[in-house]
């Protein structure tokens, strides 16, 4: 930064003596530099347009719709805070929020635990790209396919998993159709799907930790577990924070595997927020209220992410 | 640079615009007609040929979408202007569409072409909206019956004649309860009415799922509780609440729950995931997992054609007063208010609702025509294929059918009531769920 300023001031000094006030800095570059702005604008135009058309406008319209009564076939009617009042009194909304939170906690705790363990083991074993490629495979499968395949495998009558369970315990487990199992099952599915991806991210983080630190640890006589706790974890924090935040956001937005398997049942046991919003909007065509719930979810996600960033000091690393 | 920018903007605009315009609503001599039933799409294909032959130059396009996507697709079509000229509709959506002026009232057209609405035996009043106008011609009718595996009956020593005349009451379940107990067999071969019967290890359930499924109970508990005189709504059409706290209803629900508790009927989730069958009722009867099941008339030909299994059809139970009471449901044939071709659309719709087309399409047995003469033909035609539909025709002749009522905000009611029913039948909630169910129905039915 300092060097740049010096460069610019040098140019000002070298400028024609007739120019009394120094022109604005950005005008100062050579002719070719000035054209860069246009090229830059041209290059970002598709992205900006895409952002405007597919993100900014829909979002602003969503915010507007959340204050209206909108049943899609007739124009929206402004109702002010009516939807928010309904939201505060809507037991199913709060219930679905609870279900979502339960799902998020299960997914994140289980997911990070398993991926961290996998990544560390892989790192210590020093496996090659092939194994890492295989690890990421479930992530490449679409959520719909994941849910379909697992629904069949876990079916109480026909599923292979339940055939095995029945041999051992004599009774099948109703993974998707008992209220106690529904959310843990969905969380496990989600972990299975995203575990490889997270592990690869954490693996990349592990590679940034200099080997010398471990050497020093070993010389000091630290055990493998002590090194993991006191060296790996703190040094991995920036990556872990990012993975946790991504996982929290992804888990909060879970929809596909629920829609394909339990559809929110039994008895609303797995009614995650996105499922409820979808049902309100596309099942009951109550788009105004669905927009209000989406807005609430958005604000909550912003708050959660912000808090996480602050609390985990994500920008700093202990390697320095 | 400016040109490139403009070109980019134009391209983006094109892409965005492209999202909205697909196969636009038909004009000229084309009529688009939609259904969610694959079998009816084929059946009405017969009418299509005859109609096009009788009206040279016209083109009828029948399109079928899966029922899970059908109404979303339809609504999107209303908004985008790409909805079909005419379409099959369920009464659950009558209020949503009619109140938002998407359906064309047919009264003037009916009067102009002097269609005699009396020719329909069921379903006409179902399609009258709160404004008193007729919005559809009934497209079909359906009711439920008991389907049983005849060999299993013989093995259990239950005469078929008994099953044709099952009695029921909410206190001890009548002969229905006894037959179901007899038909249930555990893994060790003990019947449900024998000592030592193990209700936790069932090989064959006496009766298929009676819990959950729907908040109307069309193919489960409704034909039972209806014999007590109980009706879903406080009014026949456009009710303000559902009578879920009526003692006749709560007593019946207790009995239904006792069927699963005693192991005679599968618990919620045994053969379903997300309230959808993982194994269809037809396969359950075919594989011997279930000996008898309640089912819709639309499944009659499916049950009748299971290879190697003889399936009999019995009417629903006789109530304490010795009478049956069966819910009937009629889908309607609507015309979209935004059609560019109302005359041709009406010509097609009224042709479909005529005796000629109903006889022709109904002969496939995939649906029941609302016109009695056409229905008789369906029964005869299906008999030659080995499926006996006498039971259903007898309902009409005995006058035991009562139409399911039209009510407001159908999908919202379903979405709110279904989980409460599931909670009750899964044993998470007890009787305290009924007042909540009634209150919820009251709130949602009153909206708008």
């Amino acid at each position: 930064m300092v060097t740049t300023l010096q460069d610019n001031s040098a140019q000002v000094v070298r400028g024609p003596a007739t120019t009394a006030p120094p022109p604005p800095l950005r005008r100062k570059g050579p002719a070719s530099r000035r054209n860069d702005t246009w090229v830059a604008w041209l290059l970002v135009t598709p992205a900006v347009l895409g952002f405007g058309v597919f993100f900014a406008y829909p979002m602003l319209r969503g915010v507007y719709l959340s204050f209206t009564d909108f049943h899609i076939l007739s124009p929206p009617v402004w109702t002010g805070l009516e939807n928010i009042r309904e939201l505060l009194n809507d037991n199913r909304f709060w219930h679905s929020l609870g279900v979502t939170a339960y799902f998020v906690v299960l997914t994140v705790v289980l997911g990070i635990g398993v991926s961290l363990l996998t990544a560390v083991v892989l790192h210590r074993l020093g496996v090659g790209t092939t194994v890492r490629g295989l690890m990421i495979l479930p992530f490449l499968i679409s959520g719909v396919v994941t849910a379909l395949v697992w629904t069949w495998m876990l079916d109480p009558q026909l599923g292979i998993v339940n055939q095995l369970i029945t041999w051992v315990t004599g009774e099948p487990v109703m993974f998707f159709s008992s209220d106690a199992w529904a959310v843990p099952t969905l969380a496990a599915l989600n972990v299975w799907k995203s575990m490889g991806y997270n592990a690869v991210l954490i693996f990349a983080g592990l590679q940034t930790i200099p080997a010398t630190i471990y050497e020093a640890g070993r010389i000091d006589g630290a055990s493998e577990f002590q090194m993991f706790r006191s060296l790996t974890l703190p040094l991995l924090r920036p990556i872990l924070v990012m993975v946790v935040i991504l996982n929290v956001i992804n888990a909060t937005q879970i929809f596909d595997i629920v829609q394909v398997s339990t559809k929110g049942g039994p008895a609303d046991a797995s009614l995650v927020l996105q499922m409820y919003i979808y049902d309100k909007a596309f099942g009951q065509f109550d788009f105004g209220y669905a927009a209000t719930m989406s807005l609430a979810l958005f604000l909550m996600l912003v708050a959660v992410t912000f808090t996480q960033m602050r609390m985990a000091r994500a920008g700093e690393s202990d390697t320095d | 640079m400016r040109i490139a920018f403009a070109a980019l903007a134009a391209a983006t605009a094109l892409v965005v615009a492209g999202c909205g315009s697909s196969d636009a609503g038909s004009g000229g001599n084309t009529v688009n007609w939609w259904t969610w039933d694959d079998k009816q799409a084929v059946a009405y294909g017969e009418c299509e040929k005859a109609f096009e032959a009788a009206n040279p130059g016209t083109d009828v396009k029948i399109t079928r979408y899966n029922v899970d996507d059908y109404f979303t697709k339809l609504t999107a079509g209303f908004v985008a202007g790409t909805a079909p000229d005419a379409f099959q509709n369920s009464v659950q959506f009558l209020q949503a569409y009619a109140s938002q002026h998407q359906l064309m009232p047919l009264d003037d057209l009916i009067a102009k072409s002097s269609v005699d609405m009396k020719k329909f035996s069921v379903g006409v009043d179902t399609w009258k909206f709160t404004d008193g106008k007729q919005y559809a011609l009934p497209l079909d009718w359906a009711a439920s019956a008991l389907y049983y595996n005849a060999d299993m009956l013989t093995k259990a020593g239950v005469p078929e004649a008994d099953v044709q005349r099952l009695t029921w009451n909410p206190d001890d379940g009548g002969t229905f309860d006894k037959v179901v107990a007899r038909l249930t067999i555990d893994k060790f071969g003990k019947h449900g009415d024998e000592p030592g019967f193990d209700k936790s290890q069932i090989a064959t359930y006496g009766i298929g799922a009676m819990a959950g499924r729907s908040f109307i109970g069309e193919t489960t508990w409704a034909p039972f509780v209806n014999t007590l005189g109980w009706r879903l709504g406080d009014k026949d059409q456009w009710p303000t609440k559902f009578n879920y706290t009526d003692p006749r209803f709560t007593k019946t629900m207790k009995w239904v729950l006792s069927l699963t508790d005693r192991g005679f009927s599968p618990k919620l989730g045994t053969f379903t995931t997300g309230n959808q069958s993982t194994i269809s009722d037809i396969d359950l009867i075919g594989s011997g997992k279930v000996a008898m099941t309640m089912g819709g008339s639309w499944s009659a030909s499916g049950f009748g054609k299971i290879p190697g299994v003889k399936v009999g059809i019995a009417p629903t139970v006789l109530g304490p007063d010795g009478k049956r009471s069966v819910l009937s449901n009629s889908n309607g044939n609507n015309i979209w208010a935004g059609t560019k071709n109302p005359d041709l659309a009406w010509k097609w719709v009224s042709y479909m609702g005529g005796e000629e087309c109903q006889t022709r399409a109904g002969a496939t047995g995939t649906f029941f025509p609302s016109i009695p003469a056409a229905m008789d033909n369906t029964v005869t035609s299906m008999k030659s294929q080995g499926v006996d539909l006498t039971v259903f025709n007898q309902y009409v002749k005995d006058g035991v059918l009562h139409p399911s009522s039209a009510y407001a905000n159908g999908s919202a009611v379903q979405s709110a009531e279904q989980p409460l029913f599931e909670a009750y039948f899964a044993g998470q909630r007890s009787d305290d769920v009924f007042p909540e169910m009634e209150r919820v129905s009251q709130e949602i039915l009153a909206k708008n």
Side-chain angles (χ1 to χ4, degrees):
Chain A
M1 205 57 201
V2 177
T3 19
T4 325
L5 267 177
Q6 280 171 342
D7 275 1
N8 279 334
S9 53
Q11 277 168 12
V12 170
V13 174
R14 257 185 268 125
T18 42
T19 325
L25 283 180
R26 59 187 169 88
R27 283 283 168 121
K28 257 343 236 177
S32 62
R33 288 278 293 278
R34 233 175 289 146
N35 262 345
D36 280 0
T37 326
W38 279 105
V39 176
W41 272 112
L42 182 73
L43 291 177
V44 296
T45 299
V48 169
L49 269 180
F51 179 79
V53 172
F54 294 110
F55 287 92
Y57 171 71
M59 212 193 101
L60 291 176
R61 184 154 165 84
V63 172
Y64 162 68
L65 286 179
S66 63
F67 295 99
T68 63
D69 183 22
F70 181 40
H71 283 83
I72 212 176
L73 294 175
S74 34
V77 182
W78 183 264
T79 55
L81 298 177
E82 186 51 46
N83 284 341
I84 293 172
R85 207 169 297 134
E86 190 180 337
L87 186 82
L88 294 175
N89 292 319
D90 185 352
N91 290 335
R92 282 186 91 198
F93 171 77
W94 296 109
H95 168 77
S96 70
L97 204 60
V99 172
T100 311
Y102 179 36
F103 177 83
V104 170
V105 169
L106 279 182
T107 310
V108 173
V109 172
L110 204 68
I112 301 292
V114 174
S115 345
L116 185 62
L117 190 73
T118 319
V120 169
V121 169
L122 290 187
H123 185 60
R124 301 310 272 162
L125 293 180
V127 297
T129 359
T130 321
V131 177
R132 271 182 279 163
L134 284 176
M135 290 270 314
I136 211 167
L137 215 60
F139 180 71
L140 303 179
I141 301 169
S142 87
V144 173
V145 175
T146 307
L148 266 181
V149 171
W150 279 100
T151 312
W152 282 107
M153 297 215 303
L154 299 177
D155 187 90
Q157 302 294 324
L158 312 163
I160 182 161
V161 177
N162 261 317
Q163 293 286 341
L164 298 174
I165 292 176
T166 315
W167 278 341
V168 179
T169 66
E171 251 184 278
V173 177
M174 293 199 185
F175 285 106
F176 288 108
S177 11
S178 83
D179 61 315
W181 275 104
V183 176
T185 306
L186 290 167
L189 242 72
N190 207 36
V191 168
W192 176 82
K193 186 169 140 45
S194 58
M195 192 268 280
Y197 180 69
N198 292 333
V200 169
L201 283 181
I202 296 173
F203 190 88
L206 288 173
Q207 285 177 323
T208 65
I209 303 175
T212 46
I213 292 180
Y214 289 106
E215 272 168 38
R218 225 169 276 129
I219 289 167
D220 288 345
S223 70
E224 200 64 22
F225 178 72
Q226 277 173 320
M227 286 203 286
F228 172 74
R229 216 178 55 111
S230 311
L231 297 177
T232 310
L233 273 187
L235 295 178
L236 205 57
R237 206 193 49 232
I239 294 281
L240 273 184
V241 168
M242 186 198 70
V243 173
V244 168
I245 289 177
L246 282 182
N247 268 277
V248 167
I249 294 176
N250 281 337
T252 314
Q253 295 178 340
I254 190 70
F255 173 71
D256 46 7
I257 60 172
V258 184
Q259 163 72 9
V260 172
S261 58
T262 65
K263 292 200 189 309
D268 280 353
S270 61
L271 186 79
V272 292
L273 194 47
Q274 293 278 344
M275 188 72 214
Y276 187 38
I277 293 175
Y278 173 83
D279 181 48
K280 271 280 174 209
F282 296 95
Q284 305 170 27
F285 304 119
D286 194 350
F287 278 82
Y289 186 57
T292 313
M293 287 198 284
S294 308
L295 187 66
L297 176 65
F298 173 71
L299 293 177
M300 278 184 278
L301 276 180
V302 169
V304 167
T305 310
F306 187 71
T307 323
Q308 276 180 330
M309 299 277 252
R310 285 302 290 272
M311 280 172 57
R313 296 177 291 132
E316 306 158 29
S317 165
D318 293 342
T319 24
D320 299 331
Chain B
M1 216 60 81
R2 219 159 279 236
I3 294 168
F5 185 89
L8 256 174
T12 316
L14 267 178
V15 170
V16 173
C19 299
S21 66
S22 53
D23 51 329
S26 47
N29 291 321
T30 308
V31 183
N32 272 308
W33 187 75
W34 286 7
T35 172
W36 62 79
D37 189 316
D38 49 343
K39 298 190 204 87
Q40 290 197 31
V42 176
Y44 280 113
E46 296 296 312
C47 296
E48 179 193 343
K49 281 179 215 149
F51 181 77
E52 285 172 354
N55 300 278
T58 57
D59 181 20
V60 175
K61 273 191 191 148
I62 297 179
T63 312
R64 181 250 170 186
Y65 292 104
N66 189 302
V67 70
D68 288 339
D69 311 317
Y70 186 82
F71 295 99
T72 313
K73 181 102 182 139
L74 200 55
T75 309
F78 292 152
V79 178
T82 56
D85 302 288
F87 53 93
Q88 180 186 25
N89 194 10
S90 163
V91 74
Q92 196 179 352
F93 291 89
L94 169 60
Q95 179 257 358
Y97 295 161
S99 66
Q100 302 201 63
H101 312 292
Q102 295 303 317
L103 305 181
M104 187 181 280
L106 303 180
D107 302 79
D108 294 346
L109 295 163
I110 290 168
K112 208 168 82 189
S113 345
S114 42
V115 173
D116 178 14
M117 295 299 279
K118 286 201 190 72
K119 72 182 176 187
F120 299 108
S121 59
V122 274
V124 173
D125 288 343
T126 310
W127 287 94
K128 272 196 178 68
F129 188 49
T130 43
D131 58 8
K133 288 180 183 155
Q134 186 79 33
Y135 279 91
L137 298 187
L139 202 50
D140 56 13
W141 69 277
S144 48
L146 290 162
Y147 297 94
Y148 56 85
N149 184 325
D151 294 335
M152 288 194 156
L153 238 61
T154 319
K155 269 187 213 150
V158 179
E160 279 198 53
D162 285 10
V163 176
Q164 296 288 334
R165 293 194 46 81
L166 290 172
T167 65
W168 176 82
N169 64 71
D171 300 305
D172 67 1
T175 59
F176 176 85
D177 202 290
K178 290 190 181 66
V179 165
V180 163
R182 183 71 204 155
L183 288 174
T184 308
I185 307 169
D186 69 10
K187 291 238 159 81
F188 312 102
K190 286 256 189 252
H191 290 260
D193 57 357
E194 288 170 350
F197 165 75
D198 182 358
K199 66 177 184 180
S200 65
Q201 305 208 47
I202 304 295
T204 300
Y205 291 98
I207 184 80
M210 289 282 285
R213 285 218 173 158
S214 90
F215 67 101
I216 301 172
E218 189 183 15
T219 58
T220 49
W221 40 263
F224 294 86
V225 66
N226 284 338
T227 62
L228 307 176
W230 180 89
R231 293 291 180 268
L232 181 66
D234 58 346
K235 289 188 289 183
D236 276 348
Q237 287 294 81
W238 311 106
T240 62
K241 68 165 187 179
F242 291 157
N243 298 316
Y244 289 141
T245 53
D246 188 305
R248 290 172 293 188
F249 175 80
T250 54
K251 211 169 175 187
T252 307
M253 288 304 111
K254 253 193 200 115
W255 171 78
V256 171
L257 190 58
S258 83
L259 284 178
T260 56
D261 285 348
R262 289 179 285 161
F264 300 160
S265 176
K267 284 199 173 68
L268 213 61
T270 310
F271 304 117
T272 52
T273 293
N275 209 34
Q276 285 184 318
S277 301
T278 43
I279 311 174
S280 75
D281 288 351
I282 293 173
D283 290 337
L284 287 175
I285 289 275
S287 65
K289 279 264 178 198
V290 161
M292 179 161 73
T293 194
M294 288 278 288
S297 49
W298 55 88
S299 307
S301 61
F303 278 114
K305 290 171 183 169
I306 303 175
V309 179
K310 190 174 166 279
V311 177
I313 308 177
T316 59
V317 293
L318 299 158
D321 62 355
K323 288 201 182 95
R324 299 181 217 287
S325 181
V326 188
L327 202 57
S328 76
N329 175 41
S330 286
N331 293 314
N333 207 357
N334 286 139
I335 296 180
W336 178 36
T339 174
K340 295 185 186 100
N341 221 339
D343 292 331
L344 195 61
W346 167 246
K347 207 170 183 180
W348 166 241
V349 165
S350 55
Y351 174 74
M352 284 176 86
E355 195 178 321
E356 186 198 332
C357 170
Q358 289 291 302
T359 307
R360 199 187 290 263
T364 57
T366 51
F367 70 97
F368 290 177
S370 293
I371 300 172
M375 180 63 199
D376 284 340
N377 179 63
T378 302
V379 175
T380 324
S381 145
M382 288 310 286
K383 191 144 208 162
S384 66
Q385 297 178 43
V387 182
D388 187 359
L389 299 178
T390 323
V391 164
F392 298 104
N393 218 8
Q394 199 61 37
Y395 286 158
V396 184
K397 284 171 186 153
D398 294 348
V400 297
L401 293 174
H402 63 92
S404 65
S405 59
Y407 44 87
N409 303 313
S411 354
V413 178
Q414 181 175 354
S415 167
E417 299 287 8
Q418 189 69 38
L420 294 173
F421 267 102
E422 287 177 12
Y424 177 74
F425 286 123
Q428 296 165 26
R429 297 281 300 265
S430 59
D431 292 2
D432 67 312
V433 80
F434 298 125
E436 183 177 342
M437 278 160 57
E438 187 163 300
R439 185 176 48 76
V440 165
S441 75
Q442 216 160 352
E443 273 167 22
I444 300 178
L445 293 174
K447 269 188 193 166
N448 294 327

